[in-house]
């Protein structure tokens, strides 16, 4: 009697990989590939939207790019540049970290009101953009989705500082908004949570003589050790002496704290002060005159142990022969500067290696704000999302 032979399709199924192994393999693929694979089958589509899959994919991507200098930077182009298409919407350029070579351009998929707009921050591939009128968007270019945040309900009449951060304890994303009214000694703080899609008031346990806002609309609040940071001014003593300090907001505990600047930074004649994240540590940058007449320099400190004033360490001094404004300090230690040539009044953007002092002209004109960028599935599903 002849033995019954199974159809080929059934024989193949016996050798199929278990579902958990298949999903584990998929977590190592680029986000754009996973978006295409959502249409393969319903189980894959539903699995890709689970918090566990999204966080595992994010961790795998970050681990794979820890040491290859492959982290991207997204450079937001201002509205008035030539870098626009027929829709008159600004574009963003994604560039390599170390070289800032052009990779590709991304059109901002939503209309921005007239006036300045900037990148508030970037976390896990999710970008936060805001306008000078405080219209705020969350946007993930990798999954081609965005959402406009609801109005916070406060009338904007004072100084405003915004920050964007990942809340690790709750796997949530938060937007911090501080309204400062120094002329009446008042600071109002609101926090938006992506999980609840709403704003709420947060108490600020600080003295009334703190101006909790940078003067620059374009300056970013770096996220270091789970806290957002920005420059502030405090009025001290009977003489009402104004002192610059670093303000921090812990995203998990929602508590504020003041940090002192490096001791050596106080005596420098400074034209610019900037905070940044450098290899996971808080960095403090100043631009001012050098001892050589007619020359300038950037001085860069890094806080080796977070919160310890004595751990500030001066890492770099970068001499420059022309007046410059720092736009970004990259994770590999390069300065993206806006330089003004004194001879012919020419303006250009230069990438300066702080170790070798090598300068490279930057071929993207008029970058407004710069933030780190990585592919992720964050914001793949949720309330009030817009696909494009």
């Amino acid at each position: 009697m002849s033995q019954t032979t199974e159809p080929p399709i059934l024989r193949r199924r016996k050798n199929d990989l278990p579902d958990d192994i298949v999903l584990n393999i998929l977590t190592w693929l680029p986000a754009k590939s996973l978006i295409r694979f959502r249409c393969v089958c319903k189980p894959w589509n539903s699995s890709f939207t689970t918090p566990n899959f999204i966080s595992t994919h994010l961790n795998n991507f970050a681990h794979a790019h820890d040491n290859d200098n492959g982290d991207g930077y997204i450079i937001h182009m201002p509205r008035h540049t030539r870098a626009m298409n027929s829709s008159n919407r600004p574009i963003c350029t994604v560039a390599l970290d170390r070289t800032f070579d052009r990779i590709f351009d991304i059109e901002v998929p939503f209309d921005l009101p007239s006036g300045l707009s900037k990148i508030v921050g970037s976390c896990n591939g999710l970008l936060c953009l805001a306008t000078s009128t405080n219209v705020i968007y969350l946007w993930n270019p990798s999954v081609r989705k965005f959402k406009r945040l609801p109005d916070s309900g406060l009338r904007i009449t004072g100084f405003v500082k915004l920050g964007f951060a990942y809340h690790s304890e709750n796997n949530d994303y938060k937007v911090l908004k501080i309204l400062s009214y120094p002329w009446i000694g008042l600071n109002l703080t609101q926090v938006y949570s992506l999980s609840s899609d709403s704003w709420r008031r947060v108490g600020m346990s600080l003295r009334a003589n703190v101006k909790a806002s940078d003067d620059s609309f374009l300056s970013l609040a770096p996220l270091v050790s789970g806290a957002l940071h920005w420059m502030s001014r405090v009025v001290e003593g009977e003489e009402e002496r104004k002192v610059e300090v670093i303000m921090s907001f812990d995203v998990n505990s929602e508590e504020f704290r003041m940090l002192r600047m490096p001791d050596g930074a106080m005596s420098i004649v400074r034209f610019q002060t900037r905070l940044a994240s450098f290899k996971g540590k808080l960095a403090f940058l100043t631009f001012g005159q050098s001892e050589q007449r007619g020359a300038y320099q950037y001085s860069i400190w890094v806080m080796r142990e977070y919160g310890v004033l004595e751990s500030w360490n001066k890492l770099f001094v970068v001499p420059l022969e022309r007046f410059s404004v720092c736009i970004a300090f990259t994770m590999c230690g390069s300065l993206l500067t806006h330089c003004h040539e004194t001879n012919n009044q020419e303006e250009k953007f230069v990438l300066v290696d702080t170790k070798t002092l090598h300068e490279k002209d930057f071929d993207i004109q008029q970058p407004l704000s710069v933030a780190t960028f990585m592919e992720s599935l964050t914001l793949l599903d949720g309330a009030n999302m817009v696909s494009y």
Side-chain angles (χ1 to χ4, degrees):
M1 184 175 180
S2 61
Q3 187 175 359
T4 304
T5 303
E6 291 180 328
I9 185 66
L10 295 181
R11 291 202 301 269
R12 287 199 302 270
R13 285 179 179 174
K14 284 185 177 180
N15 297 322
D16 281 350
L17 292 173
D19 290 342
D20 57 340
I21 295 180
V22 172
L23 289 177
N24 181 60
I25 294 173
L26 291 172
T27 60
W28 291 91
L29 297 181
K32 290 181 180 179
S33 298
L34 295 175
I35 296 302
R36 296 197 301 269
F37 294 165
R38 293 185 71 182
C39 62
V40 171
C41 60
K42 289 183 178 180
W44 280 20
N45 180 51
S46 59
S47 295
F48 293 171
T49 61
T50 62
N52 181 63
F53 187 92
I54 292 175
S55 61
T56 302
H57 175 266
L58 187 66
N59 292 334
N60 289 346
F61 187 90
H63 176 74
H65 292 78
D66 272 346
N67 300 312
D68 64 357
N69 297 313
D71 291 342
Y73 272 77
I74 189 161
I75 304 157
H76 178 226
M77 308 300 291
R79 191 174 182 83
H80 60 271
T81 65
R82 293 173 294 177
M84 291 193 180
N85 56 22
S86 58
S87 67
N88 203 36
R89 286 178 174 171
I91 67 170
C92 293
T93 297
V94 180
L96 287 175
D97 180 23
R98 183 171 293 277
T99 63
F100 266 66
D101 290 331
R102 183 188 299 269
I103 304 177
F104 56 89
D105 293 334
I106 308 174
E107 177 187 320
V108 177
F110 38 84
D111 293 323
L112 295 171
S114 59
L116 283 176
S117 59
K118 71 162 185 175
I119 297 176
V120 175
S122 172
C123 293
N124 300 335
L126 189 59
L127 296 168
C128 179
L129 275 69
T131 70
S132 55
T133 55
N134 283 282
V135 177
I136 305 174
Y137 288 90
L138 297 182
W139 173 35
N140 187 338
S142 299
V143 300
R144 297 177 61 84
K145 289 192 176 185
F146 69 89
K147 70 176 298 177
R148 176 172 172 168
L149 303 195
D151 186 83
S152 65
L154 285 181
R155 183 180 178 185
I156 309 299
T157 57
F159 299 102
V160 179
K161 186 62 187 176
L162 296 172
F164 178 59
Y166 174 62
H167 185 188
S168 58
E169 291 186 1
N170 291 347
N171 191 27
D172 196 7
Y173 293 85
K174 293 182 178 181
V175 178
L176 171 70
K177 179 189 290 185
I178 302 176
L179 289 81
S180 182
Y181 307 89
W183 52 88
I184 59 175
L186 178 63
N187 294 305
L188 298 177
T189 306
Q190 291 180 305
V191 173
Y192 168 85
S193 169
L194 178 60
S195 60
S196 65
D197 192 27
S198 62
W199 293 89
R200 57 186 172 80
R201 292 278 294 272
V202 175
M204 179 183 286
S205 56
L206 296 174
R207 294 171 293 176
N209 56 359
V210 175
K211 178 187 174 185
S213 175
D214 279 326
D215 291 332
S216 173
F217 166 75
L218 299 177
S219 61
L220 275 66
L223 179 65
V224 178
S225 296
L228 293 165
H229 301 80
W230 63 97
M231 297 301 302
S232 297
R233 293 185 180 90
V234 178
V235 179
E236 291 185 341
E238 297 179 355
E239 302 84 6
E240 296 188 348
R241 182 170 54 95
K242 293 182 180 179
V243 178
E244 284 186 297
V245 297
I246 300 171
M247 290 294 306
S248 72
F249 175 77
D250 189 291
V251 179
N252 292 322
S253 65
E254 296 190 345
E255 294 180 351
F256 290 87
R257 180 182 181 184
M258 286 192 295
L259 303 173
R260 292 291 181 179
M261 298 189 306
D263 290 335
M266 303 297 290
S267 58
I268 298 176
V269 179
R270 291 173 278 126
F271 301 120
Q272 184 192 16
T273 300
R274 189 181 187 93
L275 297 175
S277 173
F278 178 62
K279 298 182 178 179
K281 299 185 182 298
L282 184 63
F284 179 85
L285 294 77
T286 63
F287 175 74
Q289 291 179 327
S290 67
E291 296 180 356
Q292 182 180 351
R293 185 174 180 180
Y296 307 93
Q297 70 180 30
Y298 272 101
S299 300
I300 304 169
W301 287 263
V302 171
M303 183 175 276
R304 291 173 296 181
E305 184 178 351
Y306 183 74
V308 179
L309 175 61
E310 294 75 18
S311 70
W312 280 115
N313 181 35
K314 194 172 187 178
L315 284 187
F316 307 109
V317 175
V318 183
L320 294 171
E321 296 181 354
R322 54 203 167 192
F323 190 88
S324 304
V325 176
C326 177
I327 298 174
F329 182 53
T330 72
M331 294 299 291
C332 64
S334 293
L335 289 167
L336 175 59
T337 63
H338 182 191
C339 298
H340 301 262
E341 300 288 350
T342 55
N343 297 332
N344 54 13
Q345 300 299 315
E346 180 186 0
E347 297 183 12
K348 63 180 181 178
F349 296 88
V350 177
L351 192 66
V352 183
D353 190 308
T354 53
K355 292 183 179 179
T356 65
L357 303 184
H358 176 265
E359 296 185 5
K360 173 185 176 180
D361 290 351
F362 196 45
D363 64 350
I364 301 176
Q365 297 303 307
Q366 299 186 21
L368 183 64
S369 53
V370 181
T372 56
F373 176 74
M374 63 184 296
E375 287 191 356
S376 80
L377 299 174
T378 307
L379 207 68
L380 187 56
D381 278 311
N384 304 318
M385 301 296 176
V386 179
S387 301
Y388 61 96

